[in-house]
mmCIF file of all heavy atoms in Angstrom:
data_model
loop_
_atom_site.group_PDB
_atom_site.id
_atom_site.type_symbol
_atom_site.label_atom_id
_atom_site.label_comp_id
_atom_site.label_asym_id
_atom_site.label_seq_id
_atom_site.Cartn_x
_atom_site.Cartn_y
_atom_site.Cartn_z
ATOM 1 N N SER N 663 45.886 -20.956 88.046
ATOM 2 C CA SER N 663 45.049 -21.652 87.070
ATOM 3 C C SER N 663 44.100 -20.722 86.348
ATOM 4 O O SER N 663 43.586 -21.042 85.304
ATOM 5 C CB SER N 663 44.237 -22.753 87.769
ATOM 6 O OG SER N 663 43.369 -22.173 88.723
ATOM 7 N N GLN N 664 43.868 -19.535 86.889
ATOM 8 C CA GLN N 664 42.947 -18.599 86.262
ATOM 9 C C GLN N 664 43.657 -17.430 85.600
ATOM 10 O O GLN N 664 43.014 -16.515 85.133
ATOM 11 C CB GLN N 664 41.955 -18.057 87.316
ATOM 12 C CG GLN N 664 41.044 -19.123 87.879
ATOM 13 C CD GLN N 664 40.201 -19.766 86.790
ATOM 14 O OE1 GLN N 664 39.640 -19.083 85.962
ATOM 15 N NE2 GLN N 664 40.139 -21.085 86.792
ATOM 16 N N SER N 665 44.990 -17.450 85.596
ATOM 17 C CA SER N 665 45.692 -16.304 85.021
ATOM 18 C C SER N 665 45.627 -16.336 83.507
ATOM 19 O O SER N 665 45.363 -17.349 82.902
ATOM 20 C CB SER N 665 47.156 -16.296 85.477
ATOM 21 O OG SER N 665 47.798 -17.481 85.046
ATOM 22 N N SER N 666 45.903 -15.196 82.907
ATOM 23 C CA SER N 666 45.799 -15.054 81.455
ATOM 24 C C SER N 666 47.100 -14.547 80.894
ATOM 25 O O SER N 666 47.937 -14.009 81.627
ATOM 26 C CB SER N 666 44.657 -14.095 81.111
ATOM 27 O OG SER N 666 43.446 -14.598 81.632
ATOM 28 N N PRO N 667 47.324 -14.700 79.582
ATOM 29 C CA PRO N 667 48.635 -14.427 79.014
ATOM 30 C C PRO N 667 48.933 -12.953 78.806
ATOM 31 O O PRO N 667 48.081 -12.187 78.424
ATOM 32 C CB PRO N 667 48.567 -15.145 77.662
ATOM 33 C CG PRO N 667 47.127 -15.118 77.310
ATOM 34 C CD PRO N 667 46.387 -15.226 78.600
ATOM 35 N N THR N 668 50.182 -12.575 79.078
ATOM 36 C CA THR N 668 50.735 -11.338 78.532
ATOM 37 C C THR N 668 51.939 -11.761 77.733
ATOM 38 O O THR N 668 52.374 -12.905 77.811
ATOM 39 C CB THR N 668 51.150 -10.353 79.645
ATOM 40 O OG1 THR N 668 52.066 -11.021 80.511
ATOM 41 C CG2 THR N 668 49.932 -9.891 80.433
ATOM 42 N N PHE N 669 52.524 -10.854 76.969
ATOM 43 C CA PHE N 669 53.469 -11.298 75.954
ATOM 44 C C PHE N 669 54.783 -10.540 76.032
ATOM 45 O O PHE N 669 54.855 -9.428 76.538
ATOM 46 C CB PHE N 669 52.825 -11.141 74.567
ATOM 47 C CG PHE N 669 51.517 -11.862 74.484
ATOM 48 C CD1 PHE N 669 50.322 -11.167 74.585
ATOM 49 C CD2 PHE N 669 51.492 -13.231 74.368
ATOM 50 C CE1 PHE N 669 49.122 -11.835 74.537
ATOM 51 C CE2 PHE N 669 50.286 -13.903 74.310
ATOM 52 C CZ PHE N 669 49.104 -13.213 74.401
ATOM 53 N N PRO N 670 55.849 -11.179 75.546
ATOM 54 C CA PRO N 670 57.179 -10.595 75.679
ATOM 55 C C PRO N 670 57.410 -9.456 74.708
ATOM 56 O O PRO N 670 56.687 -9.295 73.735
ATOM 57 C CB PRO N 670 58.096 -11.773 75.312
ATOM 58 C CG PRO N 670 57.299 -12.542 74.313
ATOM 59 C CD PRO N 670 55.870 -12.434 74.772
ATOM 60 N N LYS N 671 58.420 -8.692 74.996
ATOM 61 C CA LYS N 671 58.856 -7.667 74.051
ATOM 62 C C LYS N 671 59.359 -8.364 72.797
ATOM 63 O O LYS N 671 60.099 -9.337 72.853
ATOM 64 C CB LYS N 671 59.974 -6.841 74.679
ATOM 65 C CG LYS N 671 60.447 -5.702 73.788
ATOM 66 C CD LYS N 671 61.514 -4.902 74.489
ATOM 67 C CE LYS N 671 62.006 -3.752 73.612
ATOM 68 N NZ LYS N 671 63.073 -2.992 74.275
ATOM 69 N N ARG N 672 58.960 -7.844 71.623
ATOM 70 C CA ARG N 672 59.282 -8.520 70.376
ATOM 71 C C ARG N 672 60.640 -8.099 69.822
ATOM 72 O O ARG N 672 61.015 -6.944 69.881
ATOM 73 C CB ARG N 672 58.195 -8.241 69.327
ATOM 74 C CG ARG N 672 56.972 -9.089 69.502
ATOM 75 C CD ARG N 672 55.798 -8.489 68.783
ATOM 76 N NE ARG N 672 55.365 -7.265 69.456
ATOM 77 C CZ ARG N 672 54.550 -7.250 70.491
ATOM 78 N NH1 ARG N 672 54.069 -8.368 70.943
ATOM 79 N NH2 ARG N 672 54.215 -6.122 71.073
ATOM 80 N N THR N 673 61.334 -9.062 69.299
ATOM 81 C CA THR N 673 62.545 -8.796 68.523
ATOM 82 C C THR N 673 62.400 -9.571 67.226
ATOM 83 O O THR N 673 61.541 -10.441 67.098
ATOM 84 C CB THR N 673 63.812 -9.277 69.264
ATOM 85 O OG1 THR N 673 63.686 -10.683 69.527
ATOM 86 C CG2 THR N 673 63.990 -8.532 70.578
ATOM 87 N N ARG N 674 63.241 -9.268 66.261
ATOM 88 C CA ARG N 674 63.164 -9.981 64.991
ATOM 89 C C ARG N 674 63.507 -11.453 65.216
ATOM 90 O O ARG N 674 64.529 -11.775 65.819
ATOM 91 C CB ARG N 674 64.138 -9.380 63.973
ATOM 92 C CG ARG N 674 63.771 -7.947 63.579
ATOM 93 C CD ARG N 674 62.545 -7.945 62.711
ATOM 94 N NE ARG N 674 62.203 -6.584 62.301
ATOM 95 C CZ ARG N 674 61.105 -6.277 61.645
ATOM 96 N NH1 ARG N 674 60.232 -7.202 61.355
ATOM 97 N NH2 ARG N 674 60.868 -5.023 61.296
ATOM 98 N N PRO N 675 62.649 -12.389 64.734
ATOM 99 C CA PRO N 675 62.938 -13.796 64.938
ATOM 100 C C PRO N 675 64.159 -14.236 64.143
ATOM 101 O O PRO N 675 64.451 -13.702 63.077
ATOM 102 C CB PRO N 675 61.678 -14.494 64.412
ATOM 103 C CG PRO N 675 61.085 -13.515 63.464
ATOM 104 C CD PRO N 675 61.421 -12.157 64.007
ATOM 105 N N LYS N 676 64.867 -15.237 64.684
ATOM 106 C CA LYS N 676 66.032 -15.790 63.996
ATOM 107 C C LYS N 676 65.597 -16.963 63.138
ATOM 108 O O LYS N 676 64.840 -17.821 63.578
ATOM 109 C CB LYS N 676 67.070 -16.251 65.020
ATOM 110 C CG LYS N 676 67.642 -15.098 65.837
ATOM 111 C CD LYS N 676 68.677 -15.596 66.811
ATOM 112 C CE LYS N 676 69.282 -14.449 67.617
ATOM 113 N NZ LYS N 676 70.275 -14.911 68.589
ATOM 114 N N VAL N 677 66.102 -16.998 61.929
ATOM 115 C CA VAL N 677 65.725 -18.046 61.000
ATOM 116 C C VAL N 677 66.671 -19.226 61.140
ATOM 117 O O VAL N 677 67.890 -19.065 61.142
ATOM 118 C CB VAL N 677 65.768 -17.517 59.542
ATOM 119 C CG1 VAL N 677 65.398 -18.614 58.573
ATOM 120 C CG2 VAL N 677 64.834 -16.328 59.398
ATOM 121 N N ALA N 678 66.088 -20.421 61.242
ATOM 122 C CA ALA N 678 66.906 -21.615 61.350
ATOM 123 C C ALA N 678 67.595 -21.889 60.023
ATOM 124 O O ALA N 678 67.016 -21.663 58.957
ATOM 125 C CB ALA N 678 66.025 -22.808 61.724
ATOM 126 N N PRO N 679 68.838 -22.359 60.052
ATOM 127 C CA PRO N 679 69.526 -22.641 58.796
ATOM 128 C C PRO N 679 68.817 -23.749 58.032
ATOM 129 O O PRO N 679 68.319 -24.702 58.610
ATOM 130 C CB PRO N 679 70.929 -23.080 59.250
ATOM 131 C CG PRO N 679 70.740 -23.547 60.644
ATOM 132 C CD PRO N 679 69.658 -22.702 61.222
ATOM 133 N N ALA N 680 68.747 -23.614 56.748
ATOM 134 C CA ALA N 680 68.075 -24.617 55.930
ATOM 135 C C ALA N 680 68.695 -24.616 54.542
ATOM 136 O O ALA N 680 69.302 -23.644 54.110
ATOM 137 C CB ALA N 680 66.590 -24.322 55.825
#
Side-chain angles (χ1 to χ4, degrees):
S663 62
Q664 295 300 314
S665 60
S666 301
T668 56
F669 305 102
K671 183 178 180 182
R672 280 161 290 276
T673 58
R674 294 288 181 187
K676 295 181 179 179
V677 179

